[in-house]
Structures are given as C-alpha cells and as structure tokens.
C-alpha cells in the first residue's frame, strides 16, 4: 500500500508489460523460479494445486518458453516443420493439412512451422536448410517420389521425419498415405457399371509415387472390367487449369471421345467439366466422371459426379502423431498407415 492507502501495482504492471518469463510467474505466484520451472514441466515432486496455480498464471500472462533457452538446455527446438509445396491441390489441401497437424500438436510442447517451396525449384533446399540450421526436431514432407533424395538425406543425418506418401526405397521410414491404387480401380469399376467402356485418366505427374499407385489401379481395372483407355496425352493434375479445360474440350470434340473420365484431382475436375461442356457434351448423359476430392464441393456444383473423399485433415493428424512418436524413438515400421477410399455420401457407393 502507498501512503494514501492504494495498492502498489506499478512494479507488477511494469513486469507484465514486458515479455513474461519464469521470473514473472514466480513474482506473481510468490514461488521460487525453480519451483515454477518444475511445475510447468509437470515434475512429480510438485503438488497438484501448485501446478494448477502456476499454469493458470502462465496462461493469463501468455507465457511461452524461450526457444533459444530450451535449445541450449535440451538440444531441442520444440518445432515441427511442415515442408509443403505451393503447387499442392488448390481446394483446401494446405489449410486442411495444417488444421489436422495443429489439432494434435495443441497442448504439446511442439510448435508448427510451415516451410513453403515449389517443385519447380530444388525440393532439397528447404530440407537442407532445416538440417544445417537445426531449426526443427522433426519434419513432415509431401509430394513423395519413389526414390526420394529428401528421405535419404534425413535418414543419413538422423533427423526424425514422416512422409505423406510412400517411397520405393531400401529405407524403412514412417509414412501416412492414401490408397490411390484402390481408388483408381474402384473408379474404373464404377464407370463400367454405368455402361462406360472408353475411359480417360487424368493422372498425377509420373515423377510422384502416387502416379505409379494410381496407374497400376487404373490399368488393373481396365483389364478386369473390360474397358479401354483414351489417352490424356501430356495433361496431368499438375497442368494449369486453363490448359486442362482446353485439352478436355479438344478431346471431347475428337472422333472417338471418352465416355468416362477418372480424375485424381478435384480442382482439375472442374476444368475438365468446363471443357466437356464447352464441347457440347452433357455430364451424366454423354460422359460420366469419377473424381477424388480433398473437400466435399464437387457434388454441390455437379451432383452427377461420383466422388471419393481423401480426408487431408485426418492425414495431418496421423502424420503429426507418427512424427512425435518417431522423435520419441518408436520404430519406423510401427508408424506406417494407408487410408482407404471413402465414397461421398452425396454420390453412389461402391
């Protein structure tokens, strides 16, 4: 109290205005700095009431551990790096992936840092940076190739990582993938059941692992169900959407156009629809389409499409859980999973 009977708060306000530290929390709670530190680390010799009081004050102050200090003490950064291509699927891929990972990391000591890159440039650059600077405890990568140099480098340097997709290498590593082989096979089956026999396939770029998986499923479906392929030429799910639209229009105006289309990409499917309609064809009458999508939106605009959902948010959760387990030393062969195709409730089921 001051001479007029008012509480002396100036010192506390000065402390709170600065970035809160362990010393700030100790001042506010009347505890020692060591006790505060151990309470935040959930030390067993600190009482439950004390831990709750310290955590409440830390939360109210917006306290965050100093990463530089944590790294000096433990050798860890408490950072998970998501190396994400800016060329990813347009319709919600990035936000869904980040959301899923964040759901798992929330309440843990880990913070997510998104590192964007383009496959038009060297994909090794962001991985080398993380390795050389020691800026993350673990890494999540996508757009996996059968023989992926990033996987080999991180394995050699003992950096924990997990891949969204599978390699075809002599390295056992954690991954979470989508069964694109099953999807393409089931897509062919669905179209043949609709009476379609001349099928086109909008596939990924051949450099990626999921091209091989989806191609195997598509070709197996053609053989098993008695359909033939109408080639897409050089157009892939990576092709600019304007070019996909123009190619689809030319294809549908050709002498022998496809009567069924399998698409690996939801955003590319919109361009395909625009192209076939520009050619005067009607979806569901002249041609049927099956498309994979990362968010339910295709059936809002064209209920005739048979859609299969790839839950990217769930994939983010599984990738985050696998990476934290790998950081904790769990064997990589125990941290591998493949999601099965789920047909949209808006469309017919297999």
């Amino acid at each position: 109290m001051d001479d007029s009977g008012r509480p002396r708060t100036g010192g506390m306000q000065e402390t709170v205005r600065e970035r809160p530290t362990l010393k700030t929390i100790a001042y506010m709670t009347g505890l020692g700095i060591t006790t505060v530190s151990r309470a935040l680390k959930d030390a067993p010799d600190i009482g439950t009431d004390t831990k709750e009081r310290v955590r409440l004050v830390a939360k109210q102050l917006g306290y965050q551990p100093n990463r530089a200090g944590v790294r000096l003490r433990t050798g860890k950064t408490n950072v998970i790096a998501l190396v994400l291509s800016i060329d990813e699927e347009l319709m919600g891929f990035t936000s869904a992936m980040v959301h899923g990972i964040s759901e798992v990391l929330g309440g843990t000591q880990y913070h997510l840092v998104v590192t964007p890159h383009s496959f038009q440039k060297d994909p090794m650059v962001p991985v080398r940076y993380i390795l050389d600077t020691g800026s993350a405890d673990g890494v999540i990568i996508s757009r996996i190739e059968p023989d992926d140099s990033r996987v080999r480098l991180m394995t050699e340097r003992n950096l924990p990582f997990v891949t969204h997709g599978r390699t075809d290498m002599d390295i056992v590593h954690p991954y979470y993938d989508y069964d694109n082989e099953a999807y393409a096979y089931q897509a062919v089956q669905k179209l043949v059941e609709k009476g379609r026999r001349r099928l086109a396939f909008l596939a990924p770029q051949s450099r990626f692992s999921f091209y091989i998986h989806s191609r195997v499923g598509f070709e197996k479906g053609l053989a098993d169900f008695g359909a033939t392929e109408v080639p897409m030429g050089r157009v892939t799910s990576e092709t600019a959407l304007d070019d996909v639209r123009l190619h689809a229009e030319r294809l549908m105006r050709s002498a022998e156009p496809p009567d069924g289309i399998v698409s690996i990409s939801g955003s590319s499917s919109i361009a395909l629809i625009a192209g076939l309609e520009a050619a005067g064809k009607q979806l569901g009458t002249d041609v049927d389409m099956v498309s994979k999508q990362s968010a339910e939106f295709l059936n809002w605009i064209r209920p005739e499409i048979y859609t299969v959902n790839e839950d990217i948010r769930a994939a983010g959760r599984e990738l985050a859980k696998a990476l934290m387990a790998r950081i904790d030393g769990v064997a990589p062969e125990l941290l591998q999973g493949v999601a099965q195709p789920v047909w949209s409730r808006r469309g017919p089921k297999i």
Side-chain angles (χ1 to χ4, degrees), residues 33-47:
I33 293 176
T34 301
T35 302
V36 168
S37 175
R38 292 183 61 75
L40 290 173
K41 294 176 182 176
D42 201 25
D45 59 331
I46 304 297

Side-chain angles (χ1 to χ4, degrees), residues 44-69:
D45 59 331
I46 304 297
T48 301
D49 291 344
T50 299
K51 290 177 184 177
E52 290 180 356
R53 179 156 57 104
V54 169
R55 289 169 183 162
L56 177 62
V57 171
K59 183 177 181 180
Q60 291 174 335
L61 293 174
Y63 169 78
Q64 293 290 339
N66 184 288
R67 291 186 189 177

Side-chain angles (χ1 to χ4, degrees), residues 109-124:
Q109 73 269 33
Y110 292 107
H111 301 267
L112 178 65
V113 173
V114 179
T115 303
H117 78 100
S118 172
F119 263 84
Q120 304 305 317
K121 301 180 180 179
D122 184 0
M124 293 293 290

Side-chain angles (χ1 to χ4, degrees), residues 121-197:
K121 301 180 180 179
D122 184 0
M124 293 293 290
V125 170
V127 172
R128 287 196 191 100
Y129 175 82
I130 293 167
L131 284 165
D132 293 344
T133 61
S135 53
D137 295 332
V139 178
I140 300 171
I141 60 173
S142 61
R143 314 281 273 188
I144 305 305
E145 300 182 14
D147 188 358
D148 202 299
S149 300
R150 299 170 298 171
V151 168
R152 195 171 300 281
L153 180 60
M154 288 188 288
T155 301
E156 291 171 353
R157 299 278 291 271
N158 294 317
L159 176 65
F161 68 92
V162 61
T163 62
H164 184 218
R166 288 165 283 173
T167 63
D168 186 18
M169 305 170 67
D170 57 350
I171 296 173
V172 178
H173 62 85
Y175 62 75
Y176 190 78
D177 199 4
Y178 181 85
D179 196 336
N180 286 287
E181 179 178 342
Y183 159 67
Y185 183 85
Q186 293 175 17
V188 172
Q189 179 185 5
K190 176 56 62 180
L191 291 172
V192 171
E193 288 175 352
K194 290 288 292 181
R196 306 307 186 180
R197 286 292 186 273

